[in-house]
């Protein structure tokens, strides 16, 4: 692997609806939102279920395991990076980055696990690395 | 209730400039408006409906109607990104059919090139209140890498290749050589596309559209107004629109909203994909074209790569002549929004006013397809079917 300088990650801006997600991420836990009415998990997290519109949605700690749905290596950037959609074992897909791996070995369908990387503001982002 | 046959595109104008550092955005809008009205044979005071989107400065229709001093009874500032102007044509027809206006003006303009905007490669912070932004922006989504993820998944799922995508750029470049205003007029080969640097894998530099200043405008009129004009009659037969997002996490990057907007437009028009003689297809990237061609039903899902290869989109030789002005890939993508120029070239084809080298013979039925926003996250799709009467 070619060593690369760290990419500076802009901080997310939580709001009252999403603050628990970021508080958990700061502790190294990935939360998803699940609906008690229809039973389905979704992402990004919302107070109202995007499937049945129930307001009985709850935070749940995800396993952090997932499968790579798609990705792209952004070559034209000060520090190249890999953006991705990762399908979590719990169901929903989330946008993320692939880190701590050789970009040439990335392939769709590969198994991944969550790692947490600090942003400029101190909050942490869930990213993924080969399982 | 239908808009079938209820409205005509009487005026169309594409600003000739591709770089306009000496002009203001409002000025470009007004110059385009004037061009389209002159083209139609109408005057500013005939306009009673006005349509614009997010590229219009200030308070959109209020600022621009004031700048142009329009007296209006119907305004609409629907913004679905680059597809807005196709939606505006449909909404103008709805307004006309209901008697809310009879001469609708639609304008687009911008100066991303003069302003040095890194349109495709810089993540845009957006408004923090945008609900998705905190879950996406920190990861570095750009216009290019979002479409690149669509291409990557399409390749994985259907075996689409970079060579096949390159044919889309090759076809566009064959058309652009005849357009004196086109930004890129050199004919390129598949190899040249593949040899151009990767911007975001698997998309190369030549898989991406140009960044240009300029704009365009359309005038949509009621049938009785069209009868009084001396321009060829381009009738709106059908329209469809559809937004598509991430479905709460059920992300599917292999199709666009054209899967829904296309059949709606075809059903209203009463025609089928095989009847279309010319198609303007939104071409922010080569993959954008390929996905929409499949979703509109020009070929089976997953067969787009085979369909576009070997020059099948080149006018005169291919089965589906597309973007005969050179499209966004070679000609123009004013204000980073390519929907307006898609409609304009379809109008040229139906009037027989395209360049003779790319004019489709006896072109009587055309389709214009737009998407706007990002196929990788959330976008709007709009389809228009137009007929020469
Ligand atoms: Zn639910």
């Amino acid at each position: 692997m070619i060593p690369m300088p760290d990419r500076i990650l802009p901080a997310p801006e939580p709001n009252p609806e999403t603050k628990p997600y970021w508080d958990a991420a700061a502790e190294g836990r990935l939360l998803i939102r699940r609906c008690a009415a229809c039973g389905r998990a979704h992402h990004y997290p919302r107070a109202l279920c995007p499937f049945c519109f129930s307001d009985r949605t709850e935070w749940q700690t995800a396993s952090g395991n997932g499968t790579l749905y798609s990705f792209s290596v952004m070559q034209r950037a000060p520090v190249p990076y890999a953006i991705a959609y990762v399908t979590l074992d719990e169901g929903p897909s989330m946008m993320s980055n692939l880190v701590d791996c050789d970009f040439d070995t990335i392939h769709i369908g590969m198994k991944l696990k969550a790692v947490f990387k600090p942003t400029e503001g101190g909050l942490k982002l869930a990213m993924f690395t080969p399982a | 209730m239908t808009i079938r046959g209820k409205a005509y595109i009487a005026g169309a104008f594409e600003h000739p400039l591709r770089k306009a550092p000496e002009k203001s955005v409002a000025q470009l809008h007004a110059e385009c408006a004037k061009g389209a009205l002159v083209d139609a044979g109408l005057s500013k005071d005939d306009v009673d409906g006005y349509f614009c989107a997010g590229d219009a400065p200030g308070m959109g229709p209020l600022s621009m109607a004031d700048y142009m001093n329009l007296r209006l009874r119907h305004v609409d500032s629907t913004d679905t990104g680059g597809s807005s102007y196709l939606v505006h044509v449909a909404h103008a027809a709805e307004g006309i059919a209901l008697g809310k206006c009879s001469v609708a003006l639609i304008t687009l303009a911008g100066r991303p090139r003069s302003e040095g905007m890194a349109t495709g490669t810089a993540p845009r912070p957006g408004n923090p209140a945008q609900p998705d932004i905190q879950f996406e922006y920190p990861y570095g989504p750009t216009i290019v890498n979002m479409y690149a993820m669509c291409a990557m998944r399409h390749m994985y799922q259907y075996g689409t290749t970079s060579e096949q995508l390159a044919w889309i750029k090759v076809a566009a470049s064959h058309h652009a050589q005849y357009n004196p205003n086109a930004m890129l007029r050199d004919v390129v080969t598949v190899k040249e596309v593949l040899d151009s640097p990767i911007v975001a894998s698997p998309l190369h530099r030549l898989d991406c559209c140009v960044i240009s200043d300029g704009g365009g405008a359309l005038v949509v009129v009621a049938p009785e107004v069209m009868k009084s004009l001396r321009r060829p009659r381009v009738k709106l037969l059908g329209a469809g629109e559809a937004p598509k997002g991430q479905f709460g996490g059920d992300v599917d990057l292999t199709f666009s909203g054209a899967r829904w907007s296309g059949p709606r437009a075809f059903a209203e028009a009463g025609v089928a994909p095989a009847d279309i003689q010319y198609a303007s297809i939104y071409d922010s990237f080569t993959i954008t074209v390929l996905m929409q061609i499949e979703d509109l039903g020009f070929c089976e899902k997953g067969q787009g790569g085979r369909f576009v290869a070997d020059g099948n989109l080149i006018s005169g030789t291919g089965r589906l002549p597309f973007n005969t002005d050179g499209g966004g890939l070679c000609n123009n993508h004013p204000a980073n929004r390519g929907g307006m120029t898609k409609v304009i070239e379809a109008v040229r084809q139906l009037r027989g006013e395209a360049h003779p080298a790319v004019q489709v013979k006896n072109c009587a039925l055309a389709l214009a397809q737009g998407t706007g926003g990002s196929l990788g996250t959330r976008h709007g799709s709009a389809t228009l079917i137009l007929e020469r009467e």
Side-chain angles (χ1 to χ4, degrees):
Chain A
M1 197 191 317
I2 304 158
M4 274 195 288
D6 283 339
R7 182 164 64 102
I8 295 164
L9 304 170
E13 293 187 52
N15 61 38
E17 189 184 8
T18 63
K19 188 173 179 297
Y21 174 92
W22 295 109
D23 288 346
E27 296 168 4
R29 284 185 302 124
L30 176 61
L31 295 188
I32 52 164
R33 196 86 173 157
R34 190 179 289 281
C35 175
C38 73
R40 294 183 67 183
H42 65 267
H43 187 83
Y44 54 91
R46 298 140 162 106
L48 296 184
C49 172
F51 303 115
C52 75
F53 236 25
S54 167
D55 59 3
R56 290 169 56 211
T57 55
E58 297 159 353
W59 295 109
Q60 182 185 1
T61 301
S63 63
N65 298 321
T67 308
L68 184 58
Y69 174 79
S70 194
F71 73 99
S72 172
V73 179
M74 189 74 202
Q75 297 289 3
R76 207 170 143 192
V79 181
Y81 60 95
I83 199 150
Y85 274 113
V86 176
T87 305
L88 303 175
D89 283 4
E90 290 77 11
S93 296
M94 66 178 283
M95 190 181 290
S96 189
N97 291 138
L98 302 177
V99 293
D100 304 335
C101 62
D102 184 342
F103 290 163
D104 291 338
T105 65
I106 297 171
H107 57 275
I108 289 176
M110 73 193 293
K111 295 293 175 193
L112 302 164
K113 63 172 192 280
V115 292
F116 291 82
K117 301 286 179 182
T119 64
E120 275 183 309
L123 288 173
K124 287 182 178 170
L125 289 178
M127 296 190 172
F128 288 84
T129 193
Chain B
M1 189 85 195
T2 173
I3 54 151
R4 191 178 198 280
K6 302 285 174 63
Y8 292 75
I9 300 181
F13 180 78
E14 180 182 14
H15 205 287
L17 291 183
R18 301 292 178 269
K19 192 166 190 183
E22 307 299 327
K23 292 179 186 287
S24 76
V25 173
Q27 177 186 5
L28 288 168
H29 273 270
E31 288 178 359
C32 291
K34 184 176 178 178
L37 288 165
V38 167
D39 180 55
L42 289 163
S43 80
K44 182 173 79 69
D45 294 341
D46 295 317
V47 175
D48 60 356
Y50 177 61
F51 296 70
C52 62
D55 53 283
M59 286 198 71
L62 300 186
S63 299
M64 284 314 307
D66 185 44
Y67 181 97
M68 295 189 278
N69 193 21
L70 302 174
R71 310 290 168 96
L72 304 169
R73 56 191 183 107
H74 195 62
V75 295
D76 180 332
S77 56
T78 300
D79 192 357
T80 58
S83 62
S84 301
Y85 320 94
L86 292 93
V87 173
H88 292 166
V89 170
H91 290 189
E94 291 165 17
I96 288 166
L98 290 169
K100 302 295 182 187
C101 59
S102 60
V103 176
L105 170 68
I106 307 166
T107 66
L108 154 93
R111 313 187 316 151
R113 192 176 173 201
S114 289
E115 290 161 12
M117 188 174 177
T119 298
T121 52
R124 299 182 199 177
N127 179 340
Q130 190 178 321
D132 45 84
I133 207 94
Q134 60 188 293
F135 298 99
E136 296 180 0
Y137 173 66
Y139 295 112
T142 64
I143 299 292
V144 190
N145 66 13
M146 289 296 103
Y147 283 78
M149 282 207 286
C150 297
M152 197 69 94
R153 184 71 196 186
H154 204 280
M155 289 173 167
Y156 171 82
Q157 212 158 310
Y158 298 115
T160 306
T161 67
S162 289
E163 287 81 359
Q164 290 169 335
L165 289 176
W167 270 108
I168 296 167
K169 169 73 175 185
V170 170
S173 77
H174 272 267
H175 299 149
Q177 67 179 312
Y178 303 109
N179 181 350
N181 293 325
M183 255 182 86
L184 307 174
R185 294 189 66 192
D186 290 340
V187 174
V188 300
T189 64
V190 167
K191 184 173 185 305
E192 283 170 317
V193 178
L194 299 184
D195 286 348
S196 66
I198 294 276
V199 177
S201 63
L203 296 181
H204 304 77
R205 183 156 187 257
L206 295 188
D207 285 303
C208 308
C209 69
V210 300
I211 298 170
S212 54
D213 299 344
L218 296 164
V219 180
V220 182
V221 303
E224 61 272 20
V225 176
M226 192 70 235
K227 285 195 189 91
S228 71
L229 303 174
R230 285 188 302 209
R231 299 296 278 139
R233 294 180 186 177
V234 174
K235 185 163 71 178
L236 183 59
L237 280 191
E241 54 184 283
K244 175 180 177 254
Q246 295 168 330
F247 304 129
D250 286 350
V251 174
D252 189 332
L253 299 183
T254 61
F255 72 95
S256 72
R259 173 178 289 190
W260 301 306
S261 67
R264 284 166 193 160
F266 281 117
E268 187 165 45
V271 301
D275 301 324
I276 299 296
Q277 294 170 276
Y278 165 81
S280 280
I281 313 264
Y282 202 93
D283 56 347
S284 47
F285 301 93
T286 52
I287 184 64
T288 323
V289 176
L290 186 138
M291 283 168 61
Q292 291 171 103
I293 281 176
E294 293 176 344
D295 297 332
L296 291 167
F298 288 114
C299 65
E300 271 182 50
K301 192 69 202 169
Q303 296 300 307
R306 266 174 220 143
F307 184 86
V308 302
D310 304 320
N312 204 31
L313 302 179
I314 298 176
S315 186
T317 55
R319 215 166 91 200
L320 184 68
F322 100 123
N323 300 4
T324 40
D325 59 335
L329 288 167
C330 296
N331 169 33
N332 196 10
H333 198 240
N336 304 321
R337 289 161 172 257
M340 174 66 75
T341 40
K342 295 294 157 292
V343 184
I344 292 171
E345 184 65 6
V347 169
R348 288 192 193 109
Q349 280 287 352
L350 291 167
R351 287 173 170 178
E353 293 177 354
H355 189 283
V358 296
Q359 175 68 49
V360 174
K361 278 195 193 110
N362 303 314
C363 186
L365 193 66
L367 173 146
Q369 165 64 32
T371 49
S374 171
L375 291 194
T377 53
R378 49 202 67 80
H379 67 273
S381 174
T383 312
L384 301 177
I385 294 172
L386 302 163
E387 181 187 50
R388 188 192 60 216
E389 195 174 70

